Amino acid sequence: MQRRVTAGVRAGTGLAGAVLLFATACSSGEDGDGATVAGKGDANAPQVTVNPGNGDGKARPEAGVVVTASGGTLEQVTLTRKGKPVEGALSADKTSWRSRTLRPSSQYRVDAVAKSPKGKTTTVSSTFSTLKPASKLEITDVTPNQNEKVGVGMPIQVTFNRAVGDRKAVERALEVRSTKPATGAWYWVSDTQVIFRTKNGQYWQPNQSVTFKARLAGVKAGKRTYGVADTTRKFRIGNAHIITASTKTHRLTVKSNGKKVKSWGISAGAAAGS
């Protein structure tokens, strides 16, 4: 499967990191599935549900955090780990918010505010911990190196510390961004190594920047196996120096950044004078 590598920086649409301001109604409790629910006691106030619920000690990292509001819309959502905001996305109708995957063996806090059409507000908080994985998936090596300048045909090679069971889940966590668009795909050469190459017959466009991100924290890569950290690698593509040889024309051509530099005849294995 070919994937288009787009230019630009991925931007979150969530409200992570917002500061809670003021609420006129506040209540909370636990429902049957372990979620925290606030706003049940006031018919005019919106009801807010947070999953995982308060006190959960084995929340699934791959499920992230989901906050929903009924009878109103979400005004603010803050998810933090060690006091630092965690990104998430707010739905178009502002009735739900979902975080990215979470780090295993970590403590989190989520605070949310919702407002009804009549101006009533509800606040809710939940503090929970994610489960401890039996095995940790980590990246042990990425090629090219950080800030390295490479040729237009250079692949991205990622090596893991253990075999990857759910390759699709891991691939979804791997991002490649280039300042000049390209098309490429991931290819697994073994259970522990995957390579990104540009489409056959195409190369990286010259003189540009490429950023590789592995958003592995919280990704379930196999039975009780989770990614524990994200990885970012930036490198540059230099000039394009491409040599082509034709057995039909018996010519070898050298091009630099798309412009022909030199061309000369070759035998291509044919006997002299034939």
Side-chain angles (χ1 to χ4, degrees), residues 115-133:
K115 180 183 288 186
S116 73
K118 294 184 178 181
K120 284 272 190 173
T121 59
T122 299
T123 65
V124 63
S125 298
S126 178
T127 303
F128 62 91
S129 299
T130 50
L131 60 78
K132 181 179 180 180

Side-chain angles (χ1 to χ4, degrees), residues 68-147:
T68 58
S70 59
T73 56
L74 292 168
E75 295 290 298
Q76 298 167 344
V77 178
T78 306
L79 174 64
T80 56
R81 173 182 176 270
K82 294 184 177 180
K84 296 182 179 180
V86 178
E87 65 187 274
L90 187 67
S91 64
D93 61 4
K94 297 184 179 182
T95 61
S96 66
W97 184 93
R98 181 181 293 273
S99 78
R100 60 155 298 174
T101 54
L102 308 176
R103 290 176 183 262
S105 304
S106 297
Q107 292 185 330
Y108 287 87
R109 177 184 174 92
V110 57
D111 297 280
V113 177
K115 180 183 288 186
S116 73
K118 294 184 178 181
K120 284 272 190 173
T121 59
T122 299
T123 65
V124 63
S125 298
S126 178
T127 303
F128 62 91
S129 299
T130 50
L131 60 78
K132 181 179 180 180
S135 301
K136 299 178 181 180
L137 181 70
E138 299 174 294
I139 291 177
T140 58
D141 184 70
V142 179
T143 302
N145 295 321
Q146 179 71 13
N147 298 323

